[in-house]
Amino acid sequence: MKNEILILPGDGIGPEVINEAVKVIKLLQKNKLINSVIRYAKIGGSAIETLGLPLPNETLNAAKSARAIILGAVGGNKWDKIKEFNKRPEYGLLKLRKSLNFFANLRNTIFYSQILSSPIKSEILSNVNIMIVRELSQGIYFGKPRGIYYNEYGLRYGYNTSCYDEKAIRRIGIIAFELAKKRKKKLCSVDKANVIEVTMLWREIITELSNEYPDVKLSHLYIDNAALQLILTPKQFDVIVTGNMFGDILSDEAANLTGSIGMLPSASINSKGQCLFEPCHGSAPDIANKGIANPIATILSVSMMLHYSLQKPLLSKYLNLAINNVLNKGIRTADINSTGKNLVSTKIMGDVIIEEFKKIIKI
Ligand code: IPM
Ligand code: MG
């Protein structure tokens, strides 16, 4: 593994938010606080346009040898008409996750009391801190057979396969139980075991595993009820573990509890100690190239990288503090704005966070 951080800006608002994250990394490099080098590569629609594939070989090879990867976002209207799954921008990201076996995706929703943009009452949200552990390497995203074809009646027929082997369920279960052990010792596993067999197996394996973690209180919810409970009483949750698709959906919902998905970073890990960090918000083509996207989720992804990949927990803590201070000062991008606050662009938000960070770490 090289001491490299691979930067994959991708599509839509990806390059804009990545720019701000790179400024933070460069500041740390310049001041010799980290010694990793930066390398750039293409993924998603931008890779299709220039190199003909959503995950070109050179990107995959660079990813295989990097210590950490930071990704902006992939996808956009321009490529929405492409029907072949492996030619779509999203396939670039899915292939990257699969090829490097990034099986565990951690998405930590934290409620920032300064942000008043959530439609949910703040007393319901105060102190919310939920860690969603999403399985990322199997499930319906990757299951075969899959496809769309014309059936015997000349009707288009679409199908996918939702599948998990018990090893993968156990592997993600261990990550979740270990995290729960270090947090509030509460784990909620989400499935649809009343209808879908693969999730019956999910529930069985997670229940078996719970015997090895007697100090963690395990509960189970069906996905429909979990989606409801998350809005009704989010404080009941600490760590949630679930499969690939339920995790995708629940993490968007959880993110919005904070007022904006623009605040949610994520880390994906494999068993070799490599990590992929990405904001959860996607490419948001409707606001791309306007300079208004929120770079905080991507800067928080850099913070996760400092913590989990580069073993700099203190720098990570100070970067989080810088973001908090900036929010305390009332500085806001459009997605988290409210009356009386100071509305700024993507670039200015990045700059003020950096200035605050410099003050805290005295450089
Ligand atoms: C996410 C995204 C991706 C996913 C897309 C872009 C493939 O929505 O990371 O949540 O579905 O995993
Ligand atoms: Mg998603």
Side-chain angles (χ1 to χ4, degrees):
M1 207 185 330
K2 293 185 193 156
N3 194 9
E4 259 176 17
I5 302 170
L6 180 68
I7 310 281
L8 305 174
D11 312 318
I13 60 170
E16 297 167 60
V17 292
I18 281 285
N19 265 344
E20 304 314 308
V22 168
K23 282 197 235 167
V24 178
I25 299 172
K26 287 198 168 151
L27 173 82
L28 294 170
Q29 282 179 323
K30 200 175 121 205
N31 288 276
K32 307 212 173 343
L33 291 166
I34 59 172
N35 57 11
S36 315
V37 296
I38 290 183
R39 189 169 165 188
Y40 280 86
K42 291 202 183 298
I43 192 165
S46 69
I48 295 174
E49 297 305 310
T50 49
L51 300 160
L53 288 170
L55 186 71
N57 274 340
E58 54 210 79
T59 304
L60 182 58
N61 290 336
K64 280 183 179 159
S65 61
R67 174 180 303 275
I69 305 164
I70 299 203
L71 182 136
V74 294
N77 309 338
K78 189 169 176 193
W79 306 281
D80 271 353
K81 284 191 206 77
I82 305 175
K83 285 266 160 46
E84 261 174 284
F85 169 59
N86 58 6
K87 299 215 163 112
R88 295 179 58 85
E90 290 79 4
Y91 179 75
L93 174 56
L94 298 183
K95 187 170 174 200
L96 176 69
R97 290 173 179 168
K98 187 80 179 166
S99 311
L100 276 84
N101 207 3
F102 287 125
F103 69 92
N105 182 222
L106 313 183
R107 300 187 162 186
N108 192 186
T109 293
I110 296 173
F111 175 63
Y112 291 84
S113 56
Q114 311 93 318
I115 300 178
L116 301 172
S117 55
S118 175
I120 298 173
K121 292 189 200 111
S122 46
E123 59 263 33
I124 292 181
L125 296 173
S126 62
N127 301 321
V128 161
N129 185 329
I130 305 169
M131 178 66 89
I132 297 185
V133 180
R134 169 186 177 198
E135 204 295 327
L136 210 59
S137 67
Q138 294 192 11
I140 197 164
Y141 272 53
F142 296 103
K144 284 184 183 149
R146 62 187 302 153
I148 302 173
Y149 71 95
Y150 279 91
N151 71 10
E152 70 224 77
Y153 308 106
L155 296 174
R156 276 166 294 175
Y157 183 86
Y159 60 106
N160 285 85
T161 307
S162 183
C163 47
Y164 268 110
D165 67 58
E166 61 178 294
K167 220 169 123 193
I169 303 172
R170 209 183 131 78
R171 183 172 67 170
I172 193 73
I174 291 172
I175 299 276
F177 273 108
E178 289 293 336
L179 271 167
K181 229 166 80 174
K182 294 192 197 106
R183 291 169 55 106
K184 293 186 183 151
K185 301 187 173 22
K186 249 170 52 179
L187 175 63
C188 177
S189 171
V190 175
D191 58 42
K192 187 72 185 171
N194 51 344
V195 181
I196 299 173
E197 281 88 346
V198 57
T199 73
M200 291 175 194
L201 178 66
W202 179 280
R203 189 176 283 218
E204 214 173 290
I205 305 288
I206 298 288
T207 307
E208 280 168 23
L209 190 60
S210 70
N211 295 327
E212 294 168 34
Y213 295 90
D215 47 343
V216 175
K217 196 174 170 321
L218 173 68
S219 60
H220 303 273
L221 282 180
Y222 297 137
I223 176 66
D224 46 352
N225 192 15
L228 182 150
Q229 297 293 332
L230 205 49
I231 298 288
L232 206 61
T233 39
K235 263 179 267 193
Q236 70 180 284
F237 296 106
D238 185 46
V239 180
I240 293 178
V241 64
T242 190
N244 209 340
M245 187 159 84
F246 295 163
D248 180 44
I249 298 167
L250 280 189
S251 60
D252 266 31
E253 189 190 348
N256 229 36
L257 293 173
T258 68
S260 170
I261 195 169
M263 300 295 297
L264 189 66
S266 83
S268 304
I269 54 179
N270 68 13
S271 41
K272 289 189 187 156
Q274 285 175 297
C275 301
L276 163 66
F277 302 92
E278 40 175 331
C280 300
H281 49 57
S283 60
D286 51 324
I287 59 161
N289 303 315
K290 294 186 179 162
I292 58 171
N294 185 351
I296 294 181
T298 316
I299 298 178
L300 284 169
S301 300
V302 171
S303 168
M304 289 186 98
M305 174 183 79
L306 290 168
H307 193 122
Y308 294 103
S309 230
L310 307 184
Q311 269 70 51
K312 303 277 182 193
L314 216 56
L315 282 178
S316 162
K317 193 173 140 194
Y318 290 145
L319 184 53
N320 293 349
L321 182 65
I323 292 170
N324 240 299
N325 291 355
V326 165
L327 294 174
N328 283 339
K329 288 180 184 164
I331 297 164
R332 300 283 189 271
T333 43
D335 58 321
I336 51 172
N337 198 22
S338 56
T339 327
K341 303 295 180 210
N342 185 357
L343 179 64
V344 299
S345 65
T346 310
K347 185 179 168 307
I348 301 290
M349 181 56 103
D351 288 344
V352 289
I353 291 172
I354 284 177
E355 283 317 306
E356 193 61 37
F357 187 40
K358 277 162 77 177
K359 254 195 261 163
I360 296 171
I361 59 174
K362 302 194 173 60
I363 54 171

